[in-house]
Amino acid sequence: RFTKDTARFKDELDIMKFICKDFWTTVFKKQIDNLRTNHQGIYVLQDNKFRLLTQMSAGKQYLEHAPKYLAFTCGLIRGGLSNLGIKSIVTAEVSTMPACKFQVMIQKM
C-alpha cells in the first residue's frame, strides 16, 4: 500500500533508493545517511545515528551486544524488499555507536 502513489520502479537501484528515503523515513523518522553499491548486487546502507542504538551508545560495553538489536531492522529491510519482488540477504555491522551499516546482498532468481 505504501508504494501505490509512487511511479513504477525501473531497477534495483530505484527500489534501494525508495528503501533509503521513503521507507526509512516512515519507520525511523529520518533518511539513510549513505547508500553505496558495487553495481553487482551488493548495497551498503549507512545510518550515522541509528535510532535504536542511540540509548545504548553512551558506553563501550554495549558494542558487542549491538548487532542483536539490529536483527529486527535487518528483517524489516528484507521484508520490504521481498514485498517489492527482490530476494535478499541483509546483515548488520556496528563499528562505532550509534552508527551502523546494513549490507544488502541481492539474490538473483
Side-chain angles (χ1 to χ4, degrees):
R1 283 184 241 162
F2 188 58
T3 60
K4 69 180 170 118
D5 296 331
T6 61
R8 187 164 274 248
F9 301 116
K10 291 182 280 224
D11 56 2
E12 291 177 350
L13 186 58
D14 277 350
I15 292 174
M16 291 308 294
K17 287 179 183 177
F18 171 79
I19 293 290
C20 292
K21 292 179 183 176
D22 301 324
F23 181 79
W24 209 260
T25 302
T26 302
V27 177
F28 297 109
K29 309 290 188 247
K30 68 182 278 295
Q31 291 184 6
I32 280 285
D33 295 312
N34 197 351
L35 170 65
R36 291 193 179 131
T37 181
N38 67 353
H39 298 287
Q40 296 175 359
I42 296 180
Y43 297 90
V44 177
L45 289 67
Q46 182 174 347
D47 193 336
N48 294 329
K49 195 172 179 187
F50 188 58
R51 194 167 221 137
L52 297 179
L53 295 180
T54 52
Q55 295 294 323
M56 296 187 339
S57 65
K60 296 248 188 248
Q61 70 268 27
Y62 299 114
L63 187 60
E64 65 186 57
H65 299 292
K68 295 174 191 171
Y69 292 93
L70 299 177
F72 175 73
T73 308
C74 289
L76 277 177
I77 297 169
R78 187 169 174 233
L81 289 171
S82 177
N83 282 325
L84 294 172
I86 294 181
K87 189 175 179 185
S88 63
I89 296 173
V90 182
T91 57
E93 171 187 323
V94 179
S95 53
T96 58
M97 301 257 274
C100 62
K101 292 181 182 178
F102 297 95
Q103 184 174 1
V104 179
M105 190 180 332
I106 305 296
Q107 295 180 315
K108 302 295 180 193
M109 292 185 185

